[in-house]
Amino acid sequence: MGYISIQINKAKGSADTGASDHIERKTIPKNADPARTHLNRELVEFPDGVADRTEAISHRIRTASIRRKIPPDQVRAIRIVLSGTHEDMARMQDEGRLSEWCDDNLQWLHRTFGKENTVSAVLHMDEHTPHIHATVVPIVTGERRKTKRKQTEGKCTYRKKTNAVRLGADDLLTRERLIAYHDSYAAAMAKYGLQRGVRGSEARHTTTAQYYRDLKRQTGELEANVQQLQTERQQAKQELDEVKKEIKSEKLEAAKTEAKAALVAKVGSLLGSGKLKGLEADNRTLQGEVAARDESIELLQKQMERQQEEHSRQLVELQAKYRREMANKEAAHQEEVSFLKSIIQKAKKWFPLFQELVYMEKFCLKVGFNERQTATLISGKPLFYEGELYSEEHRRKFKTERAGFQVVKDPKDKAKLALAINGQLIGEWFKEQFGRLFSSVKRTVEPLRRGKGMGL
């Protein structure tokens, strides 16, 4: 049986934009696979007019009827990461129960913190282990804990309203409530074979930043090991070359010694000198030392060869492991690409206007709308806009006052889409603006020409 994983953190300040960029993949972390990012899912539907997580936090606070002024450093959101062990999450995915697991997590968040307060929940599938990033706005009612404590101590001179709506992250993150959250979450996840960790354990979850630091450290250690092996291999090769040179030199000296001994022996036999017999004894001793040295050199050479073989084996294993990992990633990438292509083909078949929506998105961005405004238009909702719009046909921008824009079906071809401004197709509107500009320029130029003719 595996274990649940739940991490709860505060988010201070007027905007939690850093976390939003990570959660919504506006920035891609190093441990995420871009080929799988399209599998991520937003589990909470935003209210009308709300485009992202940051706006959802502000919208909830703005509509919660909070009368007390919120200071800049007030905790506006609580970040919660929900998951299980990698093996258990992989098993759930293989069994096709991941969507059910997401629904149960969302129900637990609603029961624990309130449906309206749960403003965002994103399933991440592009990291090593599937997990959910949930965002809760800590809206509570009643007196603050500090106020109650002062009243108990007899220090409060007046009594505040007990049903006031306010932000109260400290009330939601007491030690007792954190323990209760772990207990209730474990009960909700028991059906998936997940259980609570040991109560009171000193074990701590690894934060995302710590994970990146550990991953970078491990990668650095691996690269250092490979570099060390290559250095040792080069040193071993150099030492082996030096040993070979020494062997040649020792053999040459031994040959010289033997030649000298033969010459001395021949001279001794001719002269019969007693000193020459002593030289023969010294020569035999020297030959013994040379033989011992040759044996030591041979042992050293064998040891160097074994070390070189071991280093070569380790290097080959590392290279093979790297190639396997790269091949697995490439295969997974190709599988995701094929899957994505099949989804696109099905989308074109099931939704005839799908391709038109893609074209319309590119057109809106080229005209001058930003991504958020384009998303509003593509969803079929009206958009009010004031600013400059670019006409590719006329290669210039035209300014518009606050006007209503909406994507509609082309009146001439119902199978296509068109962009309308105040009910008029954008192409016709561009032509009218260009015509007005041309007429204005013409009225300015003609009097100048007439005046020039009279001067002549």
Side-chain angles (χ1 to χ4, degrees), residues 383-445:
L383 173 71
F384 292 95
Y385 175 79
E386 179 178 356
E388 292 184 334
L389 298 176
Y390 177 74
S391 171
E392 187 175 19
E393 179 182 356
H394 302 96
R395 296 184 179 179
R396 64 175 298 111
K397 293 182 178 180
F398 298 99
K399 188 174 182 181
T400 175
E401 302 297 333
R402 182 173 174 84
F405 292 82
Q406 191 169 13
V407 174
V408 299
K409 290 187 176 180
D410 193 328
K412 298 179 181 179
D413 188 351
K414 299 296 183 181
K416 294 184 177 181
L417 298 177
L419 180 62
I421 171 174
N422 293 332
Q424 183 183 14
L425 296 183
I426 191 70
E428 298 176 358
W429 184 81
F430 278 142
K431 289 180 181 179
E432 288 185 0
Q433 299 304 311
F434 184 76
R436 292 176 183 175
L437 178 63
F438 182 77
S439 299
S440 176
V441 173
K442 186 177 181 181
R443 287 194 299 270
T444 304
V445 172

Side-chain angles (χ1 to χ4, degrees), residues 44 46-48 50 52-66 70 76-77 113-120 135-141 165-167:
V44 174
F46 294 138
D48 291 340
V50 175
D52 55 25
R53 173 182 177 274
T54 302
E55 290 186 6
I57 296 173
S58 301
H59 178 271
R60 175 56 183 146
I61 295 174
R62 189 171 58 253
T63 59
S65 302
I66 299 176
I70 301 175
R76 286 167 163 77
F113 302 101
K115 184 175 182 179
E116 293 182 351
N117 294 336
T118 307
V119 298
S120 174
T135 304
V136 172
V137 178
I139 302 295
V140 299
T141 58
V165 179
R166 59 185 175 83
L167 287 172

Side-chain angles (χ1 to χ4, degrees), residues 374-386:
T374 299
T376 301
L377 291 169
I378 293 301
S379 66
K381 298 179 181 179
L383 173 71
F384 292 95
Y385 175 79
E386 179 178 356

Side-chain angles (χ1 to χ4, degrees), residues 16 19-25 41-47 50-60 76-82 102 105-106 108-110 113-124 131-138:
D16 195 21
S20 293
D21 291 345
H22 171 82
I23 294 171
E24 296 174 344
R25 289 300 187 252
R41 281 189 281 161
E42 174 64 64
L43 306 177
V44 174
E45 183 178 357
F46 294 138
V50 175
D52 55 25
R53 173 182 177 274
T54 302
E55 290 186 6
I57 296 173
S58 301
H59 178 271
R60 175 56 183 146
R76 286 167 163 77
I78 297 174
R79 298 192 294 265
I80 305 173
V81 181
L82 304 168
C102 291
N105 274 270
L106 203 58
W108 178 81
L109 289 167
H110 291 169
F113 302 101
K115 184 175 182 179
E116 293 182 351
N117 294 336
T118 307
V119 298
S120 174
V122 179
L123 172 66
H124 277 180
H131 58 276
I132 293 175
H133 281 277
T135 304
V136 172
V137 178

Side-chain angles (χ1 to χ4, degrees), residues 126-158:
D126 57 355
E127 296 183 40
H128 183 61
T129 302
H131 58 276
I132 293 175
H133 281 277
T135 304
V136 172
V137 178
I139 302 295
V140 299
T141 58
E143 296 176 326
R144 299 166 59 198
R145 291 193 302 157
K146 292 182 180 179
T147 304
K148 290 182 180 180
R149 185 164 60 250
K150 288 182 179 180
Q151 289 175 356
T152 304
E153 296 172 355
K155 297 181 181 179
C156 189
T157 57
Y158 63 92

